[in-house]
Every structure is written in structure tokens, then in C-alpha cells.
Amino acid sequence: MNGIKAIETEYAGCLFRSRSEARWAVFFDRMGVEWEHEPEGFETSAGKYLPDFRISIPQIRTTAITSGSR
């Protein structure tokens, strides 16, 4: 790790773990894309996983990963 601590940021009633996540929420809003922040976690063969966003684009429901590996 680089020793730089993420700065928690509030936007649209959500507390994001970092400014980067909040910026993605702003981007999705400006693009008119509906989003949910950390909607649910998953158990995978590699361990537990919590996606940053679930986004909704007409007729498509997908998960968006907006940050690098942790």
C-alpha cells in the first residue's frame, strides 16, 4: 500500500469510502444512470467481494467496479 488514506465523502445521502467513489456517483448522476452504492456482497472462490456500485441502464442491470484492487 502507498500509505495514503482514503477520504470518506458524502454525496446524495451516501457516505462513500473515498472521493473516487463519490466522483463516480456524480458521473453516473450527470449521465442519467441510476445507481446503488455497495448494494450487496458476494462469496466467491477467491473470498468475499463487495462491488462499489450496481448501475441501471435501460433494460440492462449490471455491476460497476470503480476502483482498483485493494
Side-chain angles (χ1 to χ4, degrees):
M1 292 293 252
N2 58 17
I4 298 173
K5 186 176 176 358
I7 299 169
E8 288 186 342
T9 304
E10 189 174 339
Y11 171 75
C14 291
L15 182 60
F16 295 93
R17 297 175 195 248
S18 68
R19 285 187 176 178
S20 175
E21 285 184 358
R23 286 183 187 122
W24 276 104
V26 170
F27 171 77
F28 293 143
D29 280 346
R30 289 189 178 167
M31 296 302 294
V33 174
E34 292 182 31
W35 55 269
E36 295 174 76
H37 182 244
E38 297 182 343
E40 63 182 301
F42 301 94
E43 186 73 41
T44 70
S45 59
K48 294 181 180 179
Y49 175 68
L50 181 62
D52 296 329
F53 291 91
R54 176 185 293 141
I55 60 173
S56 296
I57 299 172
Q59 306 304 318
I60 299 171
R61 191 136 184 111
T62 189
T63 298
I65 303 160
T66 61
S67 58
S69 59
R70 297 176 198 215

